[in-house]
Amino acid sequence: TDAERSLRQAVELGEEMGLPAKKLVRLYYWLADIVWNWQPRYKEGLRLGMEGLQLLPNNEQSIEVAMMNTVISISLSMLGDPESIEFGLRNAAFVRDLAYCEEMRVVYSSIAYAYLNMRDVESALEWLDLFEEEAFVTACKAAFETYAGSYACTARLVSPS
């Protein structure tokens, strides 16, 4: 697809330019998302996840590590590999300490899915509740910032000089 081709070019250019690892990993994530969501090529997704993870320092606890663990977890799960649970649960150890962003929705879901694969429904539901809360709070903050900015702009326009 055009999106896949464009993202592959972006990864190549990023590597040539010496783009910082975290920025390059985000390109790997979106490329993997296309590969395993839109064209179910899970082995390719697994390869991209492993390559992206290798770009990051060992033992780092970042959004980018969580994203790559998620790519690996989902790819392994779709390939029927029980090791998928391990990669899903790796994120459970640190994602609560990270700022929520759009990419985290899949991270939280993969943690819940790992718990479901272990037949631990209670923990899966806890992670889904946490995901819902984080997403809601983030959406509310964004809405407030938009509203507050609009209000301040309007106040400047109507206030007497």
Side-chain angles (χ1 to χ4, degrees):
T1 67
D2 289 342
E4 181 181 351
R5 193 170 23 266
S6 295
L7 279 165
R8 286 193 188 281
Q9 288 175 337
V11 168
E12 286 177 30
L13 283 172
E15 289 170 344
E16 288 174 17
M17 294 171 36
L19 198 65
K22 287 185 176 187
K23 290 186 178 193
L24 194 55
V25 164
R26 286 180 180 257
L27 293 173
Y28 271 83
Y29 173 81
W30 288 110
L31 178 56
D33 183 66
I34 287 173
V35 168
W36 45 246
N37 267 333
W38 301 101
Q39 308 164 10
R41 297 187 339 241
Y42 304 113
K43 288 182 182 177
E44 175 75 2
L46 178 59
R47 184 186 65 74
L48 290 167
M50 294 293 206
E51 284 180 17
L53 192 58
Q54 289 176 355
L55 295 173
L56 301 166
N58 287 339
N59 301 318
E60 181 175 300
Q61 296 182 342
S62 66
I63 291 171
E64 292 78 15
V65 168
M67 291 163 67
M68 291 299 96
N69 283 338
T70 299
V71 167
I72 294 166
S73 177
I74 291 172
S75 297
L76 287 172
S77 177
M78 298 310 289
L79 291 168
D81 189 326
E83 192 179 5
S84 67
I85 294 170
E86 175 193 336
F87 282 92
L89 295 182
R90 283 183 186 184
N91 289 337
F94 67 90
V95 296
R96 292 179 194 213
D97 299 329
L98 302 175
Y100 183 85
C101 63
E102 182 182 346
E103 289 87 354
M104 295 297 281
R105 65 186 165 73
V106 181
V107 173
Y108 279 80
S109 299
S110 72
I111 294 169
Y113 191 71
Y115 279 112
L116 281 176
N117 279 335
M118 294 172 32
R119 309 272 192 260
D120 185 348
V121 175
E122 185 176 324
S123 293
L125 290 173
E126 285 176 22
W127 277 97
L128 290 174
D129 287 343
L130 182 61
F131 164 52
E132 181 180 35
E133 180 182 318
E134 290 288 339
F136 179 74
V137 167
T138 301
C140 286
K141 284 181 183 176
F144 176 76
E145 289 169 4
T146 299
Y147 174 75
S150 297
Y151 179 76
C153 182
T154 303
R156 281 193 299 272
L157 289 173
V158 297
S159 66
S161 300

